[in-house]
């Protein structure tokens, strides 16, 4: 009903919060398409360290129509509900206050070595202005642009080495954004690190480059092999029907972002959390 929808509109977002919220949004897989699925969103919101029952209520309020995903408005609502709950309030729209401090997430504390939403918008605009080919900018195109910073040549060399994470001699949009951020910090007198801070490593690069968090399983994994058919039974006796397996394969592919055929505990946790089962059962 219209009145219910009107009552669910929270106070306007304080302008000072927008860069942080936008930065969180752009870190999530699918945000470029305007939709973040339940698995990705649940994994992010769990970093608030709120109780699972509270997070379930936050999800219901942020996705009131039950779409199964969050658009930007829904995600921002979830962030504001997290902030309210971290202040000791119950998860309810009327508890969202303009004066609430911003939400806190483990591992996402503010750092100068991170790119906020406004910066990313500017960097993306510059990236497109340089006319990438197949989503990549060659060193020949990037070098003159970096030279306009008037930074020393050796500093620009360090920036390139830190930004070209896959060592292909070109920069994609994520790598270009990192280069721009590093150049900006260097202009302000910051000493460039020897290795790229994890807060600047795009999610699209972390798994591919083996830069996943220590808790993730990244090595010594035995590839899965098909289970042998039990003696006396045919494969058609398997309790998982082809239709069900196809559905579960879709779930698996949704969290197997690097297509290795395996998923880590951290990757699977978000999917199981979305089931709303009690933690003891999970």
């Amino acid at each position: 009903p219209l009145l219910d929808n009107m009552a669910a509109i929270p106070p306007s977002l304080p302008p000072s919060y927008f860069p942080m919220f936008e930065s969180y949004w752009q870190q999530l897989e699918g945000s470029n398409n305007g939709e973040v699925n339940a698995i990705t969103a649940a994994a992010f919101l769990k970093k608030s360290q709120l109780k699972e029952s509270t997070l379930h209520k936050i999800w219901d309020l942020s996705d009131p129509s039950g779409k199964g995903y969050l658009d930007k408005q829904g995600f921002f609502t979830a962030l504001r509900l997290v902030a309210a709950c971290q202040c000791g309030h119950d998860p309810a729209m009327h508890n969202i206050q303009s004066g609430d401090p911003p939400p806190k997430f483990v591992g996402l504390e503010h750092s100068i070595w991170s790119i906020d939403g406004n910066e990313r918008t500017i960097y993306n605009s510059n990236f497109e202005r340089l006319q990438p080919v197949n989503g990549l900018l060659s060193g020949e195109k990037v070098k003159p642009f970096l030279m306009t910073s008037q930074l020393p040549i050796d500093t620009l060399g360090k920036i390139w080495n830190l930004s070209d994470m896959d060592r292909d001699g070109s920069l994609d949009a994520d790598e270009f954004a990192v280069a721009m951020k590093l150049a900006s910090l260097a202009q302000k007198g910051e000493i460039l690190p020897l290795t790229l801070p994890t807060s600047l490593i795009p999610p699209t690069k972390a798994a591919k480059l083996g830069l996943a968090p220590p808790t993730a399983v990244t090595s010594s994994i035995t590839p899965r092999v098909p289970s042998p058919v039990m003696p006396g039974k045919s494969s058609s006796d398997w309790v998982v029907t082809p239709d069900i397996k196809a559905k579960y394969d879709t779930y698996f592919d949704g969290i197997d972002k690097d297509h290795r055929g395996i998923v880590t505990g951290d990757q699977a946790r978000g999917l199981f959390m979305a089931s709303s089962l009690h933690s003891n059962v999970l």
Side-chain angles (χ1 to χ4, degrees):
L2 178 60
L3 291 179
D4 289 346
N5 290 337
M6 291 178 64
I9 298 175
S12 59
L13 181 68
S16 59
Y17 288 10
F18 184 80
M20 177 188 296
F21 282 24
E22 184 71 16
S23 176
Y24 289 159
W25 171 253
Q26 293 191 7
Q27 291 178 35
L28 302 180
E29 186 77 23
S31 62
N32 290 339
N33 298 322
E35 299 177 1
V36 173
N37 65 40
I39 298 171
T40 301
F44 182 91
L45 295 175
K46 189 177 181 183
K47 295 177 182 178
S48 66
Q49 296 191 311
L50 293 172
K51 294 180 179 179
E52 293 176 16
S53 58
T54 300
L55 291 176
H56 291 320
K57 293 177 181 177
I58 288 175
W59 178 270
D60 291 340
L61 290 167
S62 305
D63 180 27
S65 60
K67 301 186 298 292
Y69 64 85
L70 295 182
D71 55 18
K72 184 183 288 189
Q73 179 179 346
F75 180 68
F76 280 19
T77 297
L79 294 181
R80 301 197 69 186
L81 287 166
V82 166
C85 293
Q86 289 178 334
C87 288
H89 304 304
D90 292 329
M93 301 298 283
H94 64 263
N95 283 332
I96 295 178
Q97 304 296 326
S98 297
D100 287 341
K104 297 180 180 179
F105 298 94
V106 174
L108 295 176
E109 293 79 5
H110 178 70
S111 167
I112 62 170
W113 303 101
S114 61
I115 300 172
D116 65 37
N118 289 340
E119 290 173 324
R120 185 58 193 252
T121 298
I122 295 172
Y123 300 156
N124 285 347
S125 176
N126 289 334
F127 181 80
E128 294 300 330
R129 187 155 56 90
L130 293 176
Q131 299 180 339
V133 176
N134 297 324
L136 296 172
L137 288 176
S138 66
E140 293 180 355
K141 286 188 175 181
V142 176
K143 181 179 178 180
F145 190 80
L146 285 176
M147 291 288 288
T148 62
S149 68
Q150 298 185 328
L151 290 169
I153 295 299
D154 61 334
T155 300
L156 294 177
K158 292 178 182 178
I159 290 173
W160 178 269
N161 289 335
L162 289 169
S163 305
D164 185 15
M165 287 170 259
D166 48 17
R167 300 292 184 265
D168 62 354
S170 301
L171 300 184
D172 60 22
D174 287 333
E175 292 171 319
F176 181 79
V178 170
M180 294 299 96
K181 181 65 177 184
L182 292 174
S184 175
L185 290 170
Q187 287 177 313
K188 296 175 182 177
E190 295 292 339
I191 298 176
L192 295 180
L194 295 178
T195 58
L196 197 63
T198 55
S199 56
L200 278 177
I201 298 175
T204 55
K205 301 292 183 184
K208 293 180 181 179
L209 301 180
L211 299 173
T215 54
V217 181
T218 56
S219 60
S220 303
I221 300 175
T222 303
R224 294 185 304 162
V225 296
S227 300
V229 179
M230 294 180 62
K233 291 192 176 185
S234 68
S235 58
S236 61
D237 293 322
W238 193 25
V239 69
V240 181
T241 66
D243 288 345
I244 294 176
K245 184 178 184 301
K247 180 180 180 180
Y248 293 166
D249 284 343
T250 300
Y251 292 158
F252 184 90
D253 292 339
I255 57 177
D256 181 25
K257 301 300 183 183
D258 51 350
H259 306 295
R260 294 186 301 159
I262 54 176
V263 295
T264 67
D266 283 349
Q267 290 172 319
R269 186 179 294 114
L271 174 62
F272 291 131
M273 283 287 294
S275 70
S276 299
L277 291 172
H278 192 276
S279 59
N280 290 340
V281 176
L282 294 175

